[in-house]
Amino acid sequence: MAKKKLKKNDLEEIMKQLPFRERTRIKESQLTPELLKTEIEKAQKAMTRDKYFGIPWFLAYTISWFSLGTHNITYAIFVIGLIYFCYAIFTQGSFGLNRKRVKVFEEMLNHLKK
């Protein structure tokens, strides 16, 4: 069975949800089911990492804020979260962007399998 290629119009319509930089990266690469599956896995791992760091960080910061107020520990927890989330956004993208990536790549994968 020959692999079905995505039509240019179909590809553009599916990718409208992604930012320009992401769309150009996808256009330049050869779309295969294996590539799409690895991209989905990378985005899901980044989302999981954000959940595992973000929820405990938010709880620690909230508890510190309400129990200690403006204290050095509260500032330290805030700075740790700020550093992590800035790093995550600039390297893997935000949680919302990764959720969009998963949605778009799954839609492309389903379109390729048809």
Side-chain angles (χ1 to χ4, degrees):
M1 183 171 147
K3 289 185 178 179
K4 183 177 180 182
K5 288 196 171 192
L6 286 173
K7 295 179 184 175
K8 194 76 166 170
N9 296 342
D10 294 340
L11 183 64
E12 292 293 328
E13 190 65 33
I14 292 172
M15 290 192 318
K16 275 187 178 178
Q17 301 174 19
L18 296 176
F20 178 76
R21 187 172 57 176
E22 190 74 20
R23 284 183 291 200
T24 56
R25 184 181 68 88
I26 293 170
K27 287 178 188 176
E28 292 172 355
S29 65
Q30 181 66 29
L31 290 178
T32 62
E34 293 80 24
L35 175 72
L36 293 174
K37 287 178 185 177
T38 58
E39 290 292 328
I40 290 170
E41 288 175 9
K42 283 179 11 184
Q44 287 175 339
K45 283 181 183 178
M47 289 170 55
T48 303
R49 188 173 33 253
D50 284 348
K51 285 181 193 175
Y52 285 150
F53 182 83
I55 294 171
W57 172 82
F58 179 74
L59 291 174
Y61 182 68
T62 304
I63 290 169
S64 175
W65 181 261
F66 286 114
S67 64
L68 300 174
T70 56
H71 192 269
N72 289 338
I73 295 173
T74 307
Y75 293 137
I77 293 171
F78 176 76
V79 168
I80 289 169
L82 182 71
I83 290 169
Y84 170 77
F85 287 116
C86 286
Y87 167 77
I89 286 171
F90 289 118
T91 57
Q92 297 113 16
S94 66
F95 186 85
L97 176 61
N98 285 318
R99 187 173 39 206
K100 285 181 188 177
R101 284 179 182 159
V102 169
K103 181 182 172 187
V104 168
F105 291 144
E106 284 177 347
E107 193 173 333
M108 288 176 160
L109 188 61
N110 290 337
H111 196 72
L112 276 176
K113 288 182 179 180
K114 285 184 182 179

